[in-house]
Amino acid sequence: MPAAARERVIDLLTRHFANDELTEAQLEARLQDVYAARTTQDLDAVVAGLPSLAAAPRSDTNIRAILSGQERKLAGLVPRELKLKSRMGYVELDLRDATFAPGITTIDVRSFMGYVEIRLPAGLRVENHGHALFGYFAVKGLDEDAERVVRITGRAVFGYAEIFLPDDDYDQEVEE
């Protein structure tokens, strides 16, 4: 199990503690369960029953850049559906600190003469259903054994869409 998955659950627990939704004793007991967890189902059980931190509707489910740029970093629970649109602009979406619910999360990407970059955390399987017309649509990095699925749909016309998963080779290049 990736260390990043444990870290995301620990972050979620500490945010619940900071919101006074867990006592110190409850936090300590759940943290012990996190470190004892062997599967993602074990981690899911640790946070089961906690109130959703994203109870209010999210305003960031539709991200657009028209003749401009948008850089977003989302933490917390990612909504089941995200829509990214870039029209002669760029959207950079960093989801590396976000939590994904079990099952399928769909991200619809529309890029016309623009650029969309999405950075995902480890422990996800990406299904690329996007395509390009005089452009580029690609997923870089791969985890085929993950239980949580991110489905990328959409189109890049005269534009680019790149989705990045953590990759040992990429991480080493960045560090150098």
Side-chain angles (χ1 to χ4, degrees):
M1 178 173 25
R6 284 186 207 279
E7 291 172 14
R8 281 190 295 282
V9 172
I10 291 169
D11 179 59
L12 185 63
L13 290 173
T14 55
R15 285 188 285 142
H16 278 285
F17 177 71
N19 289 343
D20 291 326
E21 295 165 346
L22 290 173
T23 65
E24 188 173 340
Q26 290 170 325
L27 174 64
E28 288 177 15
R30 288 182 189 238
L31 287 174
Q32 287 177 357
D33 292 341
V34 167
Y35 290 112
R38 294 181 183 263
T39 66
T40 54
Q41 289 91 354
D42 294 342
L43 289 177
D44 291 342
V46 172
V47 294
L50 290 175
S52 172
L53 290 174
R58 293 185 71 134
S59 61
D60 50 8
T61 58
N62 293 309
I63 301 171
R64 292 187 210 186
I66 300 173
L67 297 170
S68 63
Q70 289 284 332
E71 295 179 15
R72 301 276 180 98
K73 183 171 185 168
L74 301 182
L77 186 63
V78 174
R80 286 285 185 192
E81 292 187 16
L82 285 173
K83 294 183 180 185
L84 309 180
K85 291 184 181 181
S86 172
R87 304 286 187 259
M88 293 187 274
Y90 73 93
V91 173
E92 292 181 12
L93 180 60
D94 186 348
L95 297 172
R96 290 178 289 188
D97 294 328
T99 304
F100 287 78
I104 298 173
T105 299
T106 302
I107 301 176
D108 186 56
V109 175
R110 304 290 170 165
S111 175
F112 176 74
M113 296 178 68
Y115 177 72
V116 173
E117 175 184 296
I118 303 169
R119 298 227 174 245
L120 298 170
L124 296 174
R125 179 168 46 101
V126 176
E127 294 178 355
N128 183 4
H129 296 279
H131 57 279
L133 176 64
F134 302 112
Y136 182 72
F137 209 110
V139 175
K140 297 182 178 183
L142 202 53
D143 187 349
E144 295 180 0
D145 297 327
E147 297 170 3
R148 288 172 170 79
V149 177
V150 174
R151 181 173 292 148
I152 306 293
T153 61
R155 181 185 328 186
V157 178
F158 296 108
Y160 291 83
E162 293 183 290
I163 297 86
F164 295 93
L165 283 162
D167 183 330
D168 292 335
D169 295 335
Y170 174 79
D171 294 338
Q172 288 174 1
E173 288 175 17
V174 171
E175 290 173 5
E176 293 173 354

